[in-house]
Amino acid sequence: MRLSVLFASLMLPLSASAQTFMFDDANDMDTDTVEEWEASAEFGLLFTTGNTETESLKGKLNVARDYKKWRHKGVLDYYTAEQEDQSTGDTYETADSLFLSAQSNYKFAPNSKSSMFVFVSYEEDEYSGYEYQSTVALGYGARYRYSENVYADYEIGPGYARSKPIENGIAQESEGSAILRLAGNAHWKISENSKFNALLSSEIGEDNTKSRGEVSVSSNLNSSLAMKISLSATHNSEVANETIENLDTETAVTLVYSF
């Protein structure tokens, strides 16, 4: 029993929040032209019994395709967690979030570093103080290769964010404001079987500035299966009330299947 719980714990997002991440995932594609869709599914699961009863589930799907003139990416990310109150025996939810995003980059030329991007996202996080948060942005992107195994993407552009705050358990009128979106993604191919990725984005608005970051390391177990360790954080400059933290963090160890 202890061995099974230990094995399950290797697949747990050991979470302090239910936050997930932006368009450019740790499985970002290389700069070579690819004519087929690439996809990966990420999964983590944990059950514990004894003094603490918990149940956590994390699932993530990434798709990407790189053409001569276009680059497309999409992310679907879901996380949920429940815990049992030892004094009452009742089970209560501690996390429940869904994140969706899509992005397309139009390259000025097949081998150009420069591109124009369009990015959209939608998030529902029950414990963030918002019923939903959504963003649309467009602007300039650039990809720089620093060595054979290291490259980075940089993006900047205006956009519009819309959200529906919750105060005292009651959803308020939806709000919208102009934003400036800044984003970066650094990718390092450490070896044939492992890679490192660092992501950072900030959506700067008059009402709220939302920033996300992630660092991760993944190692291939075989040609289609890898283990990934990641540390991520999300920060909102404005929250609905003092009971909600501005900063959410998540540490995860998951299995990633590529197909």
Side-chain angles (χ1 to χ4, degrees):
M1 182 65 176
R2 291 182 180 178
L3 288 176
S4 62
V5 173
L6 177 62
F7 176 77
S9 69
L10 291 176
M11 300 178 63
L12 168 68
L14 300 173
S15 178
S17 77
Q19 284 295 342
T20 54
F21 273 84
M22 63 179 182
F23 65 92
D24 39 7
D25 184 71
N27 296 314
D28 193 12
M29 297 176 65
D30 202 349
T31 54
D32 295 335
T33 301
V34 177
E35 297 298 338
E36 296 181 355
W37 285 98
E38 290 191 356
S40 65
E42 189 174 323
F43 183 75
L45 176 67
L46 174 70
F47 296 95
T48 64
T49 60
N51 294 324
T52 304
E53 303 277 348
T54 63
E55 178 180 332
S56 303
L57 171 66
K58 180 180 176 69
K60 191 172 184 178
L61 176 66
N62 304 277
V63 294
R65 190 171 187 179
D66 205 341
Y67 295 93
K68 290 182 178 180
K69 299 283 291 219
W70 288 94
R71 183 183 303 118
H72 303 300
K73 305 175 187 178
V75 176
L76 184 155
D77 202 325
Y78 179 71
Y79 177 77
T80 183
E82 293 182 348
Q83 185 169 336
E84 182 179 317
D85 188 326
Q86 294 297 309
S87 60
T88 64
D90 296 333
T91 299
Y92 61 94
E93 188 179 68
T94 59
D96 187 7
S97 70
L98 173 68
F99 178 81
L100 300 167
S101 72
Q103 176 168 333
S104 291
N105 285 60
Y106 177 76
K107 306 172 190 178
F108 294 159
N111 296 321
S112 174
K113 295 183 176 68
S114 300
S115 65
M116 296 295 295
F117 76 88
V118 177
F119 168 78
V120 294
S121 70
Y122 178 83
E123 181 177 15
E124 291 183 1
D125 185 345
E126 193 168 336
Y127 300 92
S128 67
Y130 295 93
E131 185 173 295
Y132 71 84
Q133 291 178 285
S134 61
T135 300
V136 59
L138 59 102
Y140 172 78
R143 170 169 288 187
Y144 289 91
R145 181 169 288 279
Y146 298 100
S147 72
E148 183 179 354
N149 297 319
V150 179
Y151 70 87
D153 291 319
Y154 305 96
E155 291 167 350
I156 181 172
Y160 185 78
R162 194 159 191 86
S163 62
K164 193 169 189 178
I166 298 175
E167 296 182 9
N168 300 319
I170 300 175
Q172 307 299 304
E173 291 293 327
S174 59
E175 305 172 342
S177 65
I179 61 168
L180 175 66
R181 179 177 174 81
L182 305 173
N185 170 26
H187 178 100
W188 175 26
K189 184 179 179 182
I190 302 172
S191 69
E192 289 299 322
N193 296 316
S194 60
K195 59 185 177 181
F196 169 84
N197 208 64
L199 316 173
L200 182 63
S201 74
S202 188
E203 296 167 358
I204 305 168
E206 181 179 355
D207 299 324
N208 180 43
T209 295
K210 187 173 187 176
S211 301
R212 302 172 182 271
E214 180 185 87
V215 292
S216 66
V217 176
S218 60
S219 180
N220 294 341
L221 302 177
N222 56 41
S223 59
S224 58
L225 191 65
M227 178 168 284
K228 175 182 169 184
I229 302 173
S230 62
L231 173 62
S232 59
T234 299
H235 183 272
N236 283 285
S237 63
E238 299 295 330
V239 291
N241 56 67
E242 60 184 13
T243 65
I244 300 174
E245 297 286 342
N246 294 80
L247 178 66
D248 291 327
T249 62
E250 179 184 302
T251 303
V253 181
T254 53
L255 291 177
V256 181
Y257 178 73
S258 301
F259 51 94

